[in-house]
Amino acid sequence: MKKENIKSAVSIIIPTYNTSSLTLNCIESLLKYKNNCSIDITVVDNGNDNTLELINKKFLTVKTINNTENVGYGRAINQGILETSGSYILMLNSDTLAIHHYWLDNMIRLFEYDDKVAVVGNRLINKNNKLVGCGVVGTNKNPKIRGWMADNIGYTEPIECISVCGACYLIKRSNIEVLGLLDEYYKFYYEETDLAYTARRNGFKVMYCPD
C-alpha cells in the first residue's frame, strides 16, 4: 500500500546501511519527542539487511526508499529531499536519539528569528554524556571543533559557526534553489561542511542550537 504524501513542517531523512536496530530506536525516539511539530520520516536504505522490512511492519507512516547498492550518504539524502515536501529538511544519522520534546522546535526557532539562517545543527552528546557536536568555529583554513569529547556542560548559547555536525542538520527547503543539493562527489564525509561553506559564501548563516 502506498503511503500518503502529507505536507509536513519538517521532513526527516535518515540514511541507513545495515543498522536496523539503531534505525528503529531512532524512529521511536523521533515519534516520542516530536512535541507538536508536524514531521514526516523517510528512511533511505543503502544496505542489504532487513531494515526496511522491519520498518514497514512497525511504522506504517514512515516512508522508505530501497537502493540496490550503497550509493553513499549524499545521494541518499538527496533522494530523500526530492521525495519529500516539508518546509524544513532534517538530515539525521541512524544512530541518533531525540531525548526531549523541544529539540526540533528550538532548531526551527533559530530560522524564525533570522531569515539569513540557512543551516542549524543541534547539540550532540554520546552515550557516555560527552559532547560530540557543538559547532565548528574559526576560519575555513583553520577550523576549530568546539567541545569535542568534553563533559556535557557549557556551550549553552546559540552561536554562529562556520559549520555544524551533519549527524543532525536542519536546512530550509526554500534555500535549496540557491544552495543546491548535497554534493555527491564526497560520498560519505564533508557533504555537510561543503553545504555550510556554500551557505556562508551566499550570505547565509550557520547556527549551533544548544538545546
Side-chain angles (χ1 to χ4, degrees), residues 15 37 40 77 94 109 115 182 187 199 202 207:
C37 191
D40 61 77
I77 287 290
S94 63
R109 194 167 292 117
D115 61 8
L182 293 187
K187 198 76 173 177
N202 282 275
M207 297 295 297

Side-chain angles (χ1 to χ4, degrees), residues 168-185:
C168 182
Y169 192 97
L170 189 66
I171 64 173
K172 204 170 186 178
R173 187 177 296 273
S174 60
N175 289 333
I176 290 177
E177 184 175 347
V178 175
L179 304 182
L181 299 172
L182 293 187
D183 189 336
E184 297 175 11
Y185 166 81

Side-chain angles (χ1 to χ4, degrees), residues 18-202:
N18 297 341
T19 57
S20 58
S21 295
L22 292 172
T23 306
L24 292 174
N25 291 338
C26 176
I27 294 170
E28 287 178 349
S29 75
L30 294 174
L31 296 176
K32 179 179 180 180
Y33 292 114
K34 68 185 181 69
N35 198 29
N36 294 319
C37 191
S38 171
I39 65 171
D40 61 77
I41 302 171
T42 298
V43 175
V44 186
D45 189 21
N46 281 336
N48 55 13
D49 65 357
N50 63 341
T51 298
L52 295 192
E53 178 184 353
L54 294 172
I55 290 171
N56 288 328
K57 285 182 178 179
K58 188 168 186 178
F59 303 106
L60 298 181
T61 60
V62 174
K63 296 176 65 176
T64 56
I65 298 173
N66 183 27
N67 290 322
T68 57
E69 62 179 347
N70 186 358
V71 300
Y73 177 87
R75 184 178 297 182
I77 287 290
N78 289 343
Q79 287 176 300
I81 290 174
L82 295 174
E83 290 293 325
T84 56
S85 60
S87 300
Y88 294 92
I89 300 159
L90 181 73
M91 309 173 198
L92 192 67
N93 282 11
S94 63
D95 60 350
T96 56
L97 296 172
I99 58 174
H100 68 81
H101 286 286
Y102 302 103
W103 67 279
L104 192 51
D105 305 75
N106 292 339
M107 294 179 78
I108 292 173
R109 194 167 292 117
L110 292 178
F111 287 93
E112 295 174 342
Y113 285 158
D114 187 347
D115 61 8
K116 282 296 184 181
V117 172
V119 177
V120 174
N122 213 338
R123 182 187 193 92
L124 299 172
I125 57 175
N126 67 13
K127 62 182 179 181
N128 297 316
N129 204 35
K130 298 292 185 179
L131 294 169
V132 291
C134 292
V136 181
V137 295
T139 66
N140 290 3
K141 291 185 177 180
N142 188 27
K144 298 179 180 179
I145 301 174
R146 301 198 317 149
W148 181 255
M149 295 301 293
D151 291 336
N152 184 23
I153 55 175
Y155 303 97
T156 57
E157 297 295 327
I159 186 174
E160 188 172 351
C161 299
I162 64 170
S163 184
V164 288
C165 181
C168 182
Y169 192 97
L170 189 66
I171 64 173
K172 204 170 186 178
R173 187 177 296 273
S174 60
N175 289 333
I176 290 177
E177 184 175 347
V178 175
L179 304 182
L181 299 172
L182 293 187
D183 189 336
E184 297 175 11
Y185 166 81
Y186 293 99
K187 198 76 173 177
F188 295 111
Y189 293 102
Y190 301 111
E191 300 95 338
E192 77 281 7
T193 303
D194 178 76
L195 188 63
Y197 282 24
T198 299
R200 291 168 42 242
R201 281 197 304 269
N202 282 275

